[in-house]
Amino acid sequence: MQLTEKHKQYWNINLKISSILLVVWFVSTFVMGWFARELNEITFLGPLGFYMSAQGSLIIYVAIIAYYAYYMNNLDKEYGVHEGELE
């Protein structure tokens, strides 16, 4: 099946937002963990490295999921592939 130009645009936008959010996930998970000792010198509700490990990264994960769902719902409506409301 041949994809139309509209399908290609939709898929490219989907890949772009997914890539950006994966970079945010990687930074909040691995980079923050790698620099935890240095981050502990910054105090924000306690040592920042500990705070990001204990609660901050979980908040970021939930925010990533919420933003992706919101963004994709709007993109689905724009491209006419929205599932619609339950009746």
Side-chain angles (χ1 to χ4, degrees):
M1 181 174 154
Q2 193 71 11
L3 292 177
T4 65
E5 190 61 35
K6 191 173 182 180
H7 286 110
K8 289 179 184 178
Q9 287 176 343
Y10 177 84
W11 184 243
N12 286 334
I13 293 171
N14 189 355
L15 289 177
K16 182 179 175 183
I17 192 67
S18 296
S19 300
I20 291 169
L21 293 177
L22 280 173
V23 168
V24 172
W25 167 82
F26 179 80
V27 168
S28 68
T29 302
F30 293 105
V31 175
M32 293 284 195
W34 187 263
F35 293 107
R37 288 186 181 164
E38 291 82 5
L39 288 173
N40 279 336
E41 296 174 6
I42 302 171
T43 304
F44 175 74
L45 300 173
L48 186 60
F50 173 76
Y51 177 75
M52 285 305 296
S53 296
Q55 296 150 346
S57 57
L58 296 175
I59 293 169
I60 292 172
Y61 299 157
V62 171
I64 287 172
I65 293 167
Y67 180 77
Y68 182 76
Y70 171 78
Y71 188 87
M72 289 308 295
N73 279 336
N74 289 338
L75 190 65
D76 289 349
K77 287 178 186 175
E78 180 181 334
Y79 280 86
V81 293
H82 189 257
E83 295 174 3
E85 298 293 323
L86 295 177
E87 296 180 18

